[in-house]
Amino acid sequence: MYVLIAGGGKVGANLTRSLLRSGNEVTLIEEMSHRFDKLEAEFEHQVLRGDATELFVLERAGIKRPPDLLVAATGDDEDNIVICQLARERYGVVKVIARINDPRNQPYFDLLGISPTVSATGAIMALIEHEVPEHGLIHLLELRKENLEIVEVSIDKNANCQGKRVRSLRLPEGARLISVVRDGKAEIPDEETQLEIGDQVLAILEPGKEDELRRVLLKP
Amino acid sequence: MIGCGRVGSAVALQLNSSDWDVSVLDENEDALGRLGESWTGGFLVGHGMDLQTLREAGIEDADAVVVTTNGDNTNLVIAQVAQKQFEVPTVVVRVLDPARAEFYAARGLSIVCPTSAAIESLVVAVRSTEGALT
């Protein structure tokens, strides 16, 4: 895989290291000279000095090929947005990943259709929420190796999803409803199953997506 | 007006002295000094990337937004937010890099690129002497 990485701070440099180690081709772009010198000593010709929001710099880095993946990992969110827009819309890079430095900027990435995004604060918050017992969700089982967990949700009269069919729910990616207990009888729900008040629903999902699931099922 | 440097302040002053009600937003309180002591328009200290600040500055009722902070990419993001999120009818944005200016102009932003203007003027200035040389 050919990967272009913009920004050679801790994130960009370590991504470069890992991707190279697993046999990928990488070009890293870094503007600041003190960082560039260190990076060049380690990565040699695989790091390029310049401002990754300049078109000629991106072109020198090989964006016209185009790369299989571009990661915008600079410490500036506006720069990351512009880099992703240029990559996708001008150079036809199919896959971009953007780093978000200030989580308050998340709405701008969403507004401009830039996804997926990664924010350290967001990731840590998701873990915190996972550790803290939450209103409405009961953790039943954790499958650590598979990175999955099973939770139970009670559909009360304020729940968002009552009366809706499973197929119309925008469940978090990778999440499935695996059982609906109604009047003491468990059934395996399919796309057409309609959720009702009083249902006990079991769901399987990735840890960290509880909040999203709760929003879909429970929020009034 | 988002960004009140040399350009932003001058545009704000000119518009305010005509028929426009101008509200100025800048990160730096000192920028108010550029507008002079008799400034009658609005002035707010804050960042143009902050939705709450944009609302306080009145972006929801604005007929036009002019973005002239000192960062091209910041300008481009704020301009797109003004256009897409707040649906401001006229969004004008200053972008110094001609390459980015061209790309975003093609995507429907109203871009002013002083660098391109300077290049053109300089070339014209030199060319205009061609006749005199022969």
Side-chain angles (χ1 to χ4, degrees):
Chain A
M1 183 164 73
Y2 175 46
V3 186
L4 202 56
I5 298 175
K10 281 200 183 78
V11 176
N14 281 299
L15 278 176
T16 304
R17 210 166 282 135
S18 305
L19 286 166
L20 286 172
R21 205 177 298 137
S22 52
N24 297 284
E25 188 187 349
V26 181
T27 302
L28 173 64
I29 305 172
E30 170 57 46
E31 186 179 23
M32 284 188 276
S33 63
H34 67 279
R35 269 192 190 156
F36 175 81
D37 292 344
K38 277 188 205 153
L39 293 167
E40 197 189 26
E42 180 178 354
F43 300 122
E44 298 173 350
H45 66 279
Q46 293 164 118
V47 52
L48 182 82
R49 176 148 182 221
D51 173 355
T53 67
E54 295 253 22
L55 278 68
F56 78 92
V57 173
L58 289 170
E59 287 176 16
R60 246 179 28 212
I63 199 162
K64 280 186 165 175
R65 279 169 62 178
D68 302 291
L69 169 68
L70 175 139
V71 184
T74 80
D76 185 299
D77 288 338
E78 293 98 295
D79 286 3
N80 289 343
I81 289 176
V82 167
I83 291 165
C84 288
Q85 288 190 318
L86 289 171
R88 268 209 326 222
E89 292 163 41
R90 174 154 179 135
Y91 297 106
V93 179
V94 176
K95 244 187 173 153
V96 300
I97 298 175
R99 169 189 178 191
I100 298 182
N101 298 276
D102 183 338
R104 288 172 294 186
N105 289 331
Q106 178 82 53
Y108 302 122
F109 287 80
D110 297 342
L111 177 73
L112 301 174
I114 293 163
S115 91
T117 54
V118 180
S119 125
T121 323
I124 293 170
M125 271 316 292
L127 288 174
I128 292 172
E129 276 162 17
H130 174 63
E131 295 301 328
V132 176
E134 288 163 280
H135 174 74
L137 276 190
I138 303 161
H139 292 266
L140 292 183
L141 181 66
E142 244 175 292
L143 307 164
R144 265 180 206 267
K145 218 174 96 197
E146 289 79 9
N147 195 35
L148 287 169
E149 64 177 2
I150 296 174
V151 297
E152 186 183 76
V153 188
S154 299
I155 310 303
D156 64 17
K157 62 178 180 355
N158 297 318
N160 195 13
C161 66
Q162 53 158 302
K164 288 188 183 166
R165 291 188 195 280
V166 171
R167 76 174 133 79
S168 70
L169 300 173
R170 300 188 63 180
L171 292 172
E173 210 182 304
R176 295 270 183 287
L177 303 189
I178 49 177
S179 152
V180 174
V181 181
R182 188 174 298 161
D183 306 326
K185 248 179 73 185
E187 274 181 30
I188 296 172
D190 59 21
E191 294 282 279
E192 297 305 319
T193 304
Q194 202 168 345
L195 297 175
E196 289 172 13
I197 298 170
D199 284 355
Q200 299 289 117
V201 176
L202 295 189
I204 189 162
L205 74 167
E206 277 173 38
K209 294 202 168 164
E210 297 90 346
D211 214 37
E212 222 180 307
L213 180 74
R214 204 172 42 173
R215 218 164 28 233
V216 172
L217 294 179
L218 294 183
K219 281 268 167 70
Chain B
M1 295 290 320
I2 301 168
C4 185
R6 273 190 292 268
V7 174
S9 59
V11 175
L13 282 165
Q14 284 196 31
L15 289 175
N16 203 51
S17 67
S18 58
D19 288 336
W20 292 79
D21 290 327
V22 181
S23 172
V24 177
L25 175 63
D26 197 285
E27 261 192 302
N28 188 348
E29 203 174 340
D30 299 339
L32 180 58
R34 289 206 169 88
L35 298 167
E37 279 175 15
S38 53
W39 174 248
T40 55
F43 185 83
L44 197 67
V45 178
H47 198 282
M49 285 288 283
D50 184 61
L51 290 174
Q52 193 50 39
T53 306
L54 288 173
R55 288 197 182 98
E56 278 169 37
I59 196 167
E60 284 161 320
D61 305 316
D63 297 301
V65 168
V66 182
V67 196
T68 59
T69 81
N70 58 10
D72 273 3
N73 298 330
T74 303
N75 289 347
L76 286 165
V77 173
I78 294 172
Q80 292 180 83
V81 170
Q83 193 183 41
K84 294 199 158 88
Q85 172 130 0
F86 295 105
E87 296 173 352
V88 179
T90 303
V91 180
V92 188
V93 51
R94 190 245 330 246
V95 176
L96 294 176
D97 173 28
R100 262 168 284 173
E102 196 191 326
F103 171 70
Y104 282 96
R107 298 171 85 252
L109 280 178
S110 182
I111 308 255
V112 172
C113 180
T115 316
S116 300
I119 294 166
E120 213 180 299
S121 303
L122 288 166
V123 171
V124 167
V126 175
R127 283 259 166 93
S128 68
T129 65
E130 280 174 1
L133 292 176
T134 54

